[in-house]
């Protein structure tokens, strides 16, 4: 007997799983200063802790992509729930640096499982325009969840006491985790579609092409520009006269709205044009972050949010349409390298902050003046990445000028 597939419940569960991923990003960003103070950690050590989020993510995302047709989305999401729960509890009861490294790795692994399972799950449930619509609505919940998580963290931290403690804030992460587990429980999942025309050896062979290699390199810098800046917002902008967490909420709110209208924007300007314009806006946004204070920092957040909002979806779309023979595996690799680049970059950012603080302290700065100068010096270094992207995407624009992208061959 054929069981009915409750598409609405499966889709809503997927959205809550992505909200969990977003909360692990924003709320953990909000409690970084508390973790540093609680365990006497340097910013470089906080960077290594952050990097575990970006290490677990690509490992499980790529593994999940490879195993999706064999084990199915239900089993992958069971692993996601176990990893999320372990990671959250290990963070709450952490005894120090090593435990925080392990707990963040588990959380990152759970996040990657979510991406690996839910993207093809939604593609299996819907077809045509409906599929594109539902995938866009699904992906809105990453920046949307970051907005909600940032505001929750800001409210709880400002309240202080037990409510504002980092342990209590981590307990909040269990709410969407439990919700998605309950919504998924006992549901019938659609059988994965199998594209018989593609195979992993063919995908791998297609990755040895100038276009895929070019996009691979660009993804390193787009992901670092987006995540490297937003993950450290509460640290590097804490003395700018504006709330770091509110800046993060504003940035990701702009991203969520921008992605909702992403289809018409890309249709009008093309993928190369959108990416080049995005790099310019991201550079301007980070430059403003490094020079302005007070309310103008919120304007910088809007400009930066407009700059980075299209990076991730357009890079994935460009891979699907301009390197179509790489298939779904190619998109997983591109997404994975984006996350993995931040695994290497986060400790470097932490070291930049520590070095800038030492230099400015030696120059006689103290208090808020010291923290402001430290944050601005760090942001000046971060600006290098979108500047590189301006050059790369200018090349991409003229390289692809007049060329029509292929229809996606991916899942």
């Amino acid at each position: 007997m054929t069981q009915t597939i409750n598409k609405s419940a499966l889709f809503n569960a997927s959205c809550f799983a992505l909200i969990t991923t977003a909360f692990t990003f924003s709320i953990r960003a909000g409690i970084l200063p508390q973790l540093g103070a609680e365990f006497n950690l340097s910013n470089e050590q906080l960077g290594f802790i952050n990097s575990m989020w970006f290490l677990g993510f690509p490992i499980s995302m790529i593994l999940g992509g490879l195993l999706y047709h064999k084990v199915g989305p239900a089993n992958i999401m069971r692993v996601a729930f176990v990893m999320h729960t372990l990671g959250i509890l290990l963070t709450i009861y952490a005894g120090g640096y090593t435990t925080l490294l392990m707990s963040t790795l588990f959380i990152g692994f759970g996040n990657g499982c979510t991406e690996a399972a839910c993207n093809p799950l939604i593609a299996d449930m819907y077809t045509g325009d409906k599929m594109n619509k539902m995938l866009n609505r699904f992906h809105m919940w990453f920046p949307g969840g970051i907005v909600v998580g940032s505001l929750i963290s800001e409210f709880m931290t400002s309240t202080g006491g037990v409510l504002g403690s980092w342990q209590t804030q981590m307990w909040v992460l269990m709410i969407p985790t439990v919700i998605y587990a309950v919504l998924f429980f006992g549901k019938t999942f659609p059988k994965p579609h199998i594209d018989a025309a593609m195979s992993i050896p063919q995908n791998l062979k297609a990755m040895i092409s100038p276009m895929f290699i070019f996009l691979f390199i660009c993804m390193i810098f787009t992901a670092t520009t987006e995540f490297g800046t937003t993950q450290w917002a509460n640290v590097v902008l804490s003395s700018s006269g504006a709330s770091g967490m509110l800046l993060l909420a504003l940035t990701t709110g702009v991203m969520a709205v921008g992605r909702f209208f992403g289809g018409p924007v890309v249709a009008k300007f093309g993928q190369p044009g959108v990416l080049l314009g995005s790099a310019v806006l991201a550079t301007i946004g980070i430059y403003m972050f490094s020079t302005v204070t007070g309310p103008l920092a919120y304007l910088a957040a809007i400009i930066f949010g407009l700059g980075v909002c299209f990076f991730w979806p357009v890079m994935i779309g460009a891979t699907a349409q301009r390197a179509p023979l790489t298939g779904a595996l190619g998109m997983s690799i591109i997404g994975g390298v984006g996350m993995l680049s931040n695994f290497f970059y986060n400790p470097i950012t932490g070291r930049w902050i520590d070095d800038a603080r030492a230099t400015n302290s030696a120059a006689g700065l103290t208090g808020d003046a010291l923290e402001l100068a430290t944050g601005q010096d760090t942001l000046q270094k971060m600006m290098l990445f979108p500047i590189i992207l301006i050059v790369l995407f200018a090349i991409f624009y003229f390289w692809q000028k007049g060329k029509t992208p292929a229809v996606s061959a991916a899942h």
Side-chain angles (χ1 to χ4, degrees):
M1 183 176 66
T2 302
Q3 290 182 292
T4 302
I5 297 171
N6 189 336
K7 294 181 180 181
S8 177
L10 292 176
F11 179 77
N12 290 334
S14 299
C15 291
F16 275 104
L18 195 59
I19 290 171
T20 301
T21 296
F23 275 22
T24 67
F25 184 89
S26 56
I27 291 180
R28 286 183 70 90
I31 66 173
L32 274 182
Q34 292 188 51
L35 291 176
E38 176 82 14
F39 297 105
N40 193 28
L41 302 174
S42 67
N43 282 294
E44 184 174 5
Q45 287 176 309
L46 290 175
F48 275 111
I49 292 169
N50 277 344
S51 71
M52 292 295 104
W53 193 94
F54 294 100
L55 176 63
F57 202 121
I59 291 173
S60 60
M61 183 165 64
I62 294 171
L63 287 175
L66 290 170
L67 297 173
Y68 181 82
H69 294 297
K70 180 167 289 192
V71 303
N75 286 323
I76 295 175
M77 286 312 301
R78 290 187 182 102
V79 174
F81 175 72
V82 171
M83 291 295 102
H84 277 145
T85 303
L86 274 176
I88 293 167
L89 294 179
L90 277 173
T91 301
I92 292 170
Y93 297 105
Y97 178 57
T98 302
T99 316
L100 289 171
L101 287 172
M102 291 178 59
S103 66
T104 310
L105 179 63
F106 285 143
I107 286 175
F109 202 92
N111 294 340
C113 287
T114 295
E115 285 280 334
C118 295
N119 281 320
L121 169 63
I122 293 169
D124 284 329
M125 290 194 298
Y126 304 100
T127 58
D129 292 339
K130 180 73 170 179
M131 180 194 69
N132 291 321
K133 175 184 176 182
M134 300 310 284
L135 279 173
N136 277 319
R137 288 190 174 182
F138 169 64
H139 281 288
M140 275 186 60
W141 283 109
F142 184 67
I146 290 177
V147 173
V148 176
S150 300
L151 294 175
I152 289 173
S153 181
E154 174 68 14
F155 170 76
M156 294 178 73
T157 300
S158 62
T159 300
V162 175
L163 184 64
S165 70
W166 59 269
Q167 293 96 334
T168 305
Q169 292 189 45
M170 284 301 300
W171 276 116
V172 173
L173 271 64
M174 284 303 303
I175 297 173
T177 303
V178 171
I179 291 174
Y180 84 69
V182 170
L183 288 174
F184 274 133
F185 183 76
K187 300 297 187 299
T188 300
F189 285 69
K191 290 183 178 180
H193 298 312
I194 298 175
D195 186 356
M198 297 299 296
S199 68
I200 291 176
Q202 288 175 311
N203 296 153
L204 294 172
K205 183 179 179 180
M207 290 179 198
I208 310 173
S209 67
M211 176 55 65
F212 185 82
I213 294 171
F214 179 82
L215 292 172
F216 185 96
I217 294 170
C218 289
M219 192 63 171
I220 294 172
F221 295 105
T222 58
T224 301
T225 300
E226 176 183 341
F227 291 109
T229 306
T230 52
Q231 180 78 89
W232 288 91
N234 199 35
V235 175
V236 300
L237 298 171
S238 60
S239 299
S240 66
S243 165
M245 291 309 292
L246 289 180
L247 288 170
L248 176 59
L250 181 58
T251 297
T252 50
V254 169
M255 289 173 63
V257 174
R259 287 183 181 180
F260 184 81
F261 296 102
V265 173
V266 175
K268 181 172 180 59
F269 297 103
Q271 291 163 339
V274 169
L275 290 170
L276 177 57
S278 295
V280 172
L281 288 173
T283 303
I284 294 171
I286 296 179
Y287 174 75
M288 289 183 66
F289 276 144
S290 71
T291 55
V292 304
T293 57
L296 282 176
Y298 296 109
L299 176 60
I302 294 173
I303 294 173
F304 178 74
L306 288 172
V308 298
C309 72
F310 297 122
F311 273 160
W312 192 273
V314 175
M315 284 297 296
I316 298 296
T319 303
Q321 292 190 299
R322 297 174 193 271
L325 295 181
T326 62
L329 182 59
M331 289 190 289
S332 292
I333 295 293
I334 287 292
V337 74
M339 290 298 177
L340 193 60
S341 64
N342 282 278
F343 165 72
F344 295 105
Y345 173 68
N346 266 283
I348 295 173
T349 305
R351 192 180 309 122
W352 284 347
I353 295 171
D354 289 336
D355 291 346
R357 182 175 288 117
T359 300
N360 289 312
S361 180
L365 295 179
T366 59
D368 286 344
L370 170 62
E371 297 306 314
L372 178 61
T374 297
Q376 290 181 335
D377 289 348
T378 304
L379 285 161
Q380 288 284 346
K381 291 184 172 69
M382 290 181 178
M383 195 166 60
L384 174 66
F385 299 107
I387 289 175
I388 292 173
L389 284 173
I390 292 175
V391 176
L392 290 175
F393 287 141
I395 294 171
F396 188 47
Y397 179 82
F398 290 106
W399 180 9
Q400 296 295 295
K401 192 173 183 180
K403 295 183 180 179
T404 303
V407 177
S408 173
H411 181 89

